[in-house]
Amino acid sequence: MKALKILLIAVVALIVLLCAGGLLLSPKFTVSRTTTIEAAPDKVYALIADPRGWKQWSAWNRRDPAMAIEYSGAASGAGAVWAWKSKSQGDGRMSFTTAEAPRRLGYELFFPDFGTTSTGEFRLDPNGGGTQVTWTMDGDMGRNPIYRWMGLFMNKMVGPDFDAGLAHLKALAEKG
């Protein structure tokens, strides 16, 4: 019985330590990836500014081709919105908030399962005959200490998806 009591105290102490430690962590995170695409900025911009085009290159759409997607608002650029429901990728909504064709596209990303909103952007900078594309997302994990621990690993969790998406975008933009 004494061993069980010690084990219970250790488990409670660990939970308290994780929660308290989580509250000390910053709720903010940033994920950023860059690639160079051998295509003009206007060609690359057209592929990212229309949410209907994302299923051609986004890692998330490729992992779940059965993802249910609804589009609303503008056809592309600022005001374009798409929302999805997916068993494997979760549910979410992305709204394009700013558009400076062919240099910049800003967005807001909402995940109802977590109650969190992130913001991000694509920056397209001419680079020789091509375009340097930087995809960035900034988020706030809020007051939940568990989500704050997740924030520490966001770069490792989301970064590979950004890398894959940019690789698919590069292949698509450089094609014929």
Side-chain angles (χ1 to χ4, degrees):
M1 193 63 150
K2 187 175 180 179
L4 184 60
K5 185 176 179 182
I6 290 171
L7 181 62
L8 184 61
I9 289 171
V11 168
V12 169
L14 182 61
I15 291 171
V16 168
L17 183 64
L18 285 173
C19 287
L23 291 173
L24 296 174
L25 295 173
S26 172
K28 309 254 186 234
F29 70 86
T30 298
V31 178
S32 185
R33 294 293 191 273
T34 301
T35 194
T36 300
I37 297 176
E38 296 303 320
D42 57 335
K43 183 174 184 180
V44 177
Y45 183 84
L47 294 170
I48 63 172
D50 179 354
R52 288 163 187 83
W54 279 55
K55 58 182 140 183
Q56 298 176 69
W57 59 267
S58 168
W60 303 302
N61 293 90
R62 286 172 164 254
R63 273 200 296 262
D64 183 5
M67 180 182 289
I69 302 173
E70 291 183 13
Y71 301 99
S72 60
S76 69
V81 178
W82 58 300
W84 61 90
K85 291 185 183 295
S86 168
K87 290 182 181 178
S88 66
Q89 303 304 298
D91 300 344
R93 182 182 71 244
M94 180 180 276
S95 306
F96 295 155
T97 56
T98 52
E100 300 168 22
R103 295 185 334 253
R104 180 176 175 268
L105 179 71
Y107 64 86
E108 184 177 277
L109 187 58
F110 175 67
F111 292 104
D113 294 340
F114 295 103
T116 60
T117 300
S118 302
T119 58
E121 70 177 7
F122 286 86
R123 286 211 170 270
L124 288 74
D125 297 308
N127 184 0
T131 306
Q132 180 176 309
V133 180
T134 302
W135 186 1
T136 304
M137 179 174 68
D138 298 305
D140 187 329
M141 300 306 278
R143 299 171 60 94
N144 185 317
I146 304 303
Y147 290 169
R148 287 183 180 200
W149 282 107
M150 283 178 54
L152 283 179
F153 303 101
M154 204 55 89
N155 197 42
K156 287 189 188 287
M157 292 188 316
V158 178
D161 291 340
F162 278 26
D163 288 332
L166 287 173
H168 296 307
L169 180 63
K170 178 180 175 74
L172 186 62
E174 291 178 354
K175 193 166 50 170

